[in-house]
Amino acid sequence: MMKRREIFILSCTVVLLIISMLCNTLYLSNILKEKTDLYVQDISNQSAGNLSYQIDSNLNYMEQLASTISRMPQLTDMSDFLQRKANALRFDLIAIVSQDGEIIKNDFQSDCFDNWIALNQISYEKTELFSLDGHALLFSVPMTNDRGNERVLVGILEQKSMQQILTQMNFDGNGLACVVDVMGNIVIAPTDPQTFMQFSDIIYKDGERHVSKDLKKMIDETNRKASGILYFSTVSNEDLILCYSPLNINDWFLITIVRQDLIKGDINIYELRSLAVVAGVFIVCTILIFLIISAYEKSRKRLEEITMIDPLTKDDNNPAFQMKLKALIAKNPPATFTLVFLNIKGFQLINENVGIAAGDNILKYMYRVLKASLKENELVCRSEMDHFFLCLRDTSEEVVTARIAKITESLNSFNEYTDIAYGLMLEAGGYLIDDPDLEVRTMQDRARFASIRAQGKSVCSFFGRTLLEQVRKEAGLNSIFDASIKHRDFQVYLQPKVGLSDMNLCGAEALVRWEHPEYGMISPSDFIPLFEKNEKICILDLYVFEEVCKWMQNSMEEGEPLIPISVNLSRTHIKNLNFLREFVDIKEKYQIPDHMIEFEITESVLINVEQIKLIKNMINEMHRNGFHCSLDDFGFGYSSLALLKELDIDVIKLDKNFFDDMNNQKSQNIISGFIEIAHKLGMKVVAEGIETQEQLNCLCCLHCDAVQGYIFSKPLSISDFETWSRARTAAGRPDTCAASLSASSASAVKKLL
Ligand code: C2E
Ligand code: CA
Ligand code: CA
């Protein structure tokens, strides 16, 4: 496809080609004009030579006649003689004029001659040639007779005769000729004076500047007895050429006028044709360039559509959004807009459940809702998948958060595209555009980054100092992780589990603690989610597991009774199907007997059918290798009883949330139901986070198997745990659950049940 630059080069080439063709045409027409001028000039000069020659010949004849007559005896019939001579020499009138007034002439009546005689301008001394007011040409030759009488021989050529001579000079009858003197007086008038009359009109006509300029040149040149040429048009728009060539007689000039078209003939047609060719080429090239440009524009628009339009929403895509945002920022002061990144939570799951087409409809619907929520000078685009960007003309975090909440509300108010009523949840991140010099991509990264921090929360998180500090802190924790593993800064704490049947220690949960020499004690809630994201948790879990195995081996060697320990397993392990291998190896390495270690997995790992299958296999594998498996935090998230049917779980750990409101009958019924179901399915139930005697009493009555919580102990360091365990055994506990209940609390619980 042709580019703008190539079209420009093509256009320039065409323009240059046309200019050079025009120049060539003009050059040729100039050359032709010069040639025409030369040709016309040549003919005019030739005619002037011929005319001079003829006049000179006439003068010679007259001189010969004069000398003949001078030597002749007196003739009786002189008039007759003169008549014969006039006929022979083609003069109209030949006369002998004597000083004494005698005139002998042939038989011709001439007013010109009479006027000339009357004016008595006769010269008896020299030969003369006159123009008699343009009406006649008069040759006068002095002659002397033997009596001493002065006489002159006069020959007159009247206008008609003169014009006969001129007709030979007029371009084969196609032009007109006349003879003028240097002052412009007519010497021999043309046969048709009309053209000359028009010429004089043109001379005085305004605006014909080039004619008057040429006339000045003509006057100069005639004064120098030079020949020349002059172009002009008549008032009746006839284009003529005028040539002037000096005669070698007096100060006379021959002037000939001829029509330009007769001289130029086909030259004009040729000029017109070549101009037409240039015009044709110009038109063809212009059409071609126009076609190329319109084709280019069309393909440019298509390309723009491909590169600037999102195929799903049929509206701006991310590059178009970035371009518009850049322009918008440039036109406004800093901190005018907030850039918001939106991401639909769990959209992948929606896509898997409803299919790609319905998923696309949801995205289109979402785009429409976002677009409808915009105010003037605000922007929206779908950047990819289920990711959207908004540019809002609001700067306060509260206002932006409220707008996103409103968008979420409209999004869920009516869903016209799918039968499945999905509650769409958004993850939002905002960045107040306070630095307009930043790359738009960096701004988008900041908003996206803030949204990642918002994960799990339903509000918009904003990119700012706190976020950056948090990120830095996390980066710091990440950077010291490897060294901490190496230096064994991670400690295993044990939290006892007490069996409600005999109130004895029945197990413990291993919980990790990070005791950094420099930063002090770091809470698991600060680093577990972080290490789950970057998968360092796999290393940590294995570390904790090995520490537990080491301790258990130690206890065995020291002859201490062994209690079952549960170890937390992060969901991150599931990605690697062979993860259990390493745990089995460690178990074997430390020779831990079967069924003494339990893996706690959280139900949040169980997302879809595929994953349930995986977990099922994984649990079977655990059993094969002598591990127990418990379902942690049961009831915290979206618990499903169906899971219990699917999975071969050994223990259910009921989440602390269940027991926050133990006075509530419904809560008790639910707990009692769960315990009953679990028992029917052959599973044991451990209640977590138990803090009060009341909770404990209630759980006793509900036949819960074991309890873990502050009521017995917080997680303890291994040495503290050993001390605690010894102390508890030594103190001796009531051996039944009922015995542990005080009389008052038992009756209270009974009332509740
Ligand atoms: P979790 O597995 O549900 O562990 C129980 C948490 O509840 C522990 O917090 C424990 O200290 C706390 N707890 C126990 N009894 C009570 C009580 O009566 N009241 C209250 N308020 N809290 C109680 P901890 O040790 O801070 O651990 C938090 C979470 O971190 C754990 O929740 C677990 O999900 C995770 N975690 C801890 N250690 C590990 C580990 O080694 N590997 C993995 N993957 N996760 C771990
Ligand atoms: Ca746990
Ligand atoms: Ca738990």
Side-chain angles (χ1 to χ4, degrees), residues 9-25 274 277-286 288-289:
I9 291 172
L10 180 72
S11 308
C12 288
T13 316
V14 168
V15 168
L16 279 177
L17 178 77
I18 286 165
I19 288 175
S20 65
M21 281 174 84
L22 264 177
C23 287
N24 192 39
T25 309
S274 51
V277 168
V278 174
V281 170
F282 176 74
I283 290 167
V284 168
C285 289
T286 310
L288 263 176
I289 289 174

Side-chain angles (χ1 to χ4, degrees), residues 154-409:
V154 175
I156 285 183
L157 280 169
E158 287 264 330
Q159 192 164 352
K160 247 190 183 165
S161 311
M162 294 190 305
Q163 283 170 345
Q164 258 176 12
I165 302 169
L166 284 181
T167 47
Q168 299 155 22
M169 319 292 162
N170 63 4
F171 290 91
D172 303 327
N174 288 321
L176 282 171
C178 77
V179 176
V180 293
D181 66 14
V182 81
M183 297 307 291
N185 299 316
I186 301 264
V187 174
I188 305 174
T191 41
D192 176 11
Q194 186 58 30
T195 313
F196 286 89
M197 302 288 286
Q198 287 191 22
F199 180 63
S200 57
D201 274 352
I202 290 155
I203 292 170
Y204 297 110
K205 216 168 91 183
D206 278 339
E208 291 281 351
R209 299 211 167 242
H210 77 97
V211 179
S212 49
K213 211 169 117 196
D214 287 353
L215 277 172
K216 268 189 203 124
K217 190 177 152 217
M218 176 176 158
I219 291 165
D220 285 351
E221 282 179 347
T222 47
N223 279 330
R224 286 191 286 110
K225 291 209 173 231
S227 58
I229 198 161
L230 147 71
Y231 286 81
F232 70 100
S233 302
T234 66
V235 277
S236 53
N237 272 336
E238 208 173 0
D239 296 325
L240 302 173
I241 306 174
L242 183 147
C243 304
Y244 46 94
S245 304
L247 298 177
N248 289 327
I249 302 154
N250 298 340
D251 53 358
W252 295 353
F253 277 83
L254 173 69
I255 288 186
T256 42
I257 290 179
V258 65
R259 278 188 5 232
Q260 285 183 25
D261 55 351
L262 288 175
I263 299 295
K264 285 190 165 181
D266 291 343
I267 292 174
N268 274 346
I269 294 168
Y270 168 76
E271 278 178 4
L272 277 174
R273 263 190 208 157
S274 51
L275 276 176
V277 168
V278 174
V281 170
F282 176 74
I283 290 167
V284 168
C285 289
T286 310
I287 292 172
L288 263 176
I289 289 174
F290 174 77
L291 287 177
I292 290 170
I293 289 176
S294 55
Y296 167 78
E297 275 302 308
K298 244 191 215 165
S299 58
R300 196 182 59 81
K301 264 196 192 144
R302 246 193 74 61
L303 208 73
E304 205 175 85
E305 265 179 31
I306 294 167
T307 51
M308 294 295 188
I309 303 280
D310 172 31
L312 186 76
T313 59
K314 301 274 180 285
D315 213 335
D316 288 348
N317 64 4
N318 201 33
F321 177 84
Q322 288 176 333
M323 232 168 65
K324 287 185 183 174
L325 181 64
K326 211 171 171 182
L328 208 57
I329 294 168
K331 272 193 256 160
N332 290 279
T336 305
F337 300 101
T338 300
L339 182 65
V340 176
F341 171 79
L342 293 173
N343 171 29
I344 303 177
K345 270 190 209 171
F347 189 72
Q348 207 184 339
L349 189 64
I350 296 176
N351 245 351
E352 269 179 39
N353 286 338
V354 299
I356 299 286
D360 281 355
N361 280 339
I362 292 173
L363 292 176
K364 279 192 232 170
Y365 170 65
M366 163 123 175
Y367 188 77
R368 278 176 40 185
V369 170
L370 291 178
K371 190 137 195 176
S373 76
L374 295 187
K375 293 190 237 163
E376 207 189 331
N377 270 333
E378 293 189 332
L379 303 171
V380 61
C381 83
R382 186 182 79 110
S383 62
E384 64 201 317
M385 301 184 298
D386 59 327
H387 297 172
F388 296 83
F389 278 103
L390 290 172
C391 168
L392 303 181
R393 205 172 245 280
D394 286 309
T395 49
S396 130
E397 291 188 1
E398 288 74 39
V399 176
V400 172
T401 308
R403 282 189 70 180
I404 291 164
K406 193 132 187 270
I407 287 170
T408 314
E409 199 185 305

Side-chain angles (χ1 to χ4, degrees), residues 22 37 71 116 221 283 343-344 346 399 448 454 461 464 521 560 579 598 655 727:
L22 264 177
D37 286 2
R71 282 183 274 108
W116 182 68
E221 282 179 347
I283 290 167
N343 171 29
I344 303 177
V399 176
R448 194 183 284 113
S461 163
M521 177 72 92
E560 295 284 337
F579 83 93
E598 174 185 300
D655 191 74

Side-chain angles (χ1 to χ4, degrees), residues 514-534:
W514 194 352
E515 286 171 19
H516 196 269
E518 202 178 320
Y519 303 108
M521 177 72 92
I522 307 168
S523 156
S525 54
D526 283 339
F527 60 86
I528 298 280
L530 166 70
F531 294 151
E532 275 182 338
K533 259 188 274 167
N534 58 26

